[in-house]
Amino acid sequence: MPNKVDKRGRDGAIARIAARQHGVVTRAQMLWVGVLPSGISDRVTAGRLHRIHRGVYAAGHPNIGNEGRWMAAVLACGDDAVLSHRSAAALWRVLPQGRGVPAAGTSGSSREGVIEVTVPGSGGRAIRSGIKVHRSQTLQPGDRTIRDGIPVTNPMRTLEDLRRTLPREKFAAALRQAEFLRLPIGDRLSPDRTRSELEARFLAVCRRHRLPQPEVNVRVDRFLVDFLWRAQRLIVELDGWESHRTRSAFEEDRARDARLKVLGYEVLRFTWRQVENDAVGMARSVRALIRGAE
């Protein structure tokens, strides 16, 4: 009877630890509460523990969700490890949640993704056991925090990591989402000031075709204009269907354009279809007006 009680007590201790860690527990934690190595093996054989990474197990069942997978990856990498990069961005909700980083040669929706974790130190990067390990000599205590019980890089550090690894458009989208969520991201990042995917795509066209950088979402007279080349007095407005499909919106746009022309500005309007399908022609029109004004 005492042995059975002790066993139940140890099972209860495992369950309490796992409950605090999104369903996962480490070998070291089980040994600390008195579970023998043979007891861990017996629980694995009986299906009460499920190996996720070396030394990290799901307690009860293997369906631990994203939070459990993130927690397991951090625990597998040691006490100083933190969730980072795209995995941290998913936890902060600035990138869509998925199963991790796509493995080489797979699509973003692949279930073979890996989870990104950063640990202090040097020695390059590695992918092991479904984890992409970043070793960083610049990871400071202030870069670390806890979210939903998971050690993770804070929003500012997460975005700095993303800026080095994501395409420009995707990083801009993540930055906009962080601002929308009012996450503490400081003032070291330079937002592109775009307010929509359409505006971000147009700005990407400008970069791709080496057009001079416009001011984004700035005031001219009493209007907030989408893009402005101030020296050339050129304005570009983007007509997304949702905000420009009514007769009143159409008339307001024309009255606005007329007022801006009186003030000496040339106004070009482009639709989503043009941004998506006629980037070359659009860039050519903008460049011609910029050169003509110089």
Side-chain angles (χ1 to χ4, degrees), residues 1-288:
M1 180 65 69
N3 287 338
K4 291 183 179 179
V5 172
D6 289 346
K7 183 176 181 180
R8 290 172 183 167
R10 289 191 289 272
D11 284 341
I14 292 171
R16 288 190 292 274
I17 295 170
R20 297 194 300 267
Q21 298 181 160
H22 300 285
V24 299
V25 61
T26 68
R27 177 183 176 87
Q29 289 169 333
M30 288 187 284
L31 294 175
W32 187 80
V33 298
V35 181
L36 297 175
S38 59
I40 295 174
S41 298
D42 291 343
R43 286 169 172 81
V44 172
T45 301
R48 297 201 300 275
L49 290 175
H50 305 267
R51 185 181 185 276
I52 305 300
H53 300 291
R54 182 179 179 181
V56 183
Y57 302 83
H61 59 81
N63 300 319
I64 52 177
N66 278 332
E67 286 78 8
R69 294 180 66 249
W70 292 331
M71 190 73 191
V74 171
L75 291 172
C77 292
D79 294 339
D80 294 329
V82 286
L83 196 71
S84 66
H85 294 76
R86 280 167 283 190
S87 300
L91 178 57
W92 288 112
R93 306 296 195 269
V94 300
L95 287 180
Q97 288 198 24
R99 286 186 56 86
V101 182
T106 67
S107 68
S109 61
S110 170
R111 294 180 61 86
E112 300 302 322
V114 297
I115 295 171
E116 292 186 271
V117 171
T118 293
V119 297
S122 59
R125 300 173 180 176
I127 296 179
R128 65 171 186 269
S129 303
I131 306 169
K132 182 172 185 178
V133 180
H134 301 266
R135 302 189 183 277
S136 173
Q137 293 182 302
T138 64
L139 186 68
Q140 302 297 319
D143 295 331
R144 305 165 54 91
T145 189
I146 302 291
R147 180 175 173 85
D148 297 338
I150 302 171
V152 62
T153 50
N154 64 28
M156 181 68 190
R157 174 64 189 238
T158 299
L159 286 167
E160 288 179 336
D161 289 337
L162 292 181
R163 181 166 58 179
R164 292 190 292 269
T165 56
L166 283 185
R168 188 189 298 268
E169 289 182 43
K170 289 187 177 181
F171 171 73
L175 181 55
R176 287 197 304 274
Q177 181 67 6
E179 291 175 324
F180 175 77
L181 294 173
R182 299 183 182 275
L183 296 178
I185 59 175
D187 56 5
R188 285 185 291 172
L189 297 167
S190 298
D192 61 15
R193 297 183 61 86
T194 59
R195 298 174 298 169
S196 68
E197 179 66 20
L198 179 59
E199 291 181 357
R201 291 192 179 205
F202 177 81
L203 201 56
V205 170
C206 292
R207 296 187 185 106
R208 189 162 60 247
H209 290 271
R210 302 184 182 278
L211 294 171
Q213 180 79 7
E215 297 176 58
V216 183
N217 286 310
V218 294
R219 289 208 168 270
V220 174
D221 194 48
R222 62 179 182 270
F223 305 113
L224 184 68
V225 302
D226 293 340
F227 299 95
L228 170 66
W229 285 265
R230 192 175 297 273
Q232 294 80 19
R233 303 186 73 80
L234 173 63
I235 291 170
V236 165
E237 297 278 66
L238 302 179
D239 292 345
W241 171 246
E242 288 299 321
S243 58
H244 296 272
R245 62 182 175 180
T246 64
R247 179 179 292 276
S248 61
F250 178 86
E251 292 175 351
E252 287 171 8
D253 287 344
R254 271 57 202 171
R256 170 191 178 103
D257 291 355
R259 171 63 179 168
L260 290 169
K261 285 182 181 293
V262 167
L263 294 173
Y265 291 92
E266 183 73 37
V267 180
L268 287 179
R269 287 189 173 273
F270 297 115
T271 65
W272 180 282
R273 184 186 61 78
Q274 288 173 292
V275 173
E276 183 74 10
N277 300 324
D278 189 26
V280 173
M282 187 173 61
R284 185 182 297 120
S285 297
V286 172
R287 180 176 286 107

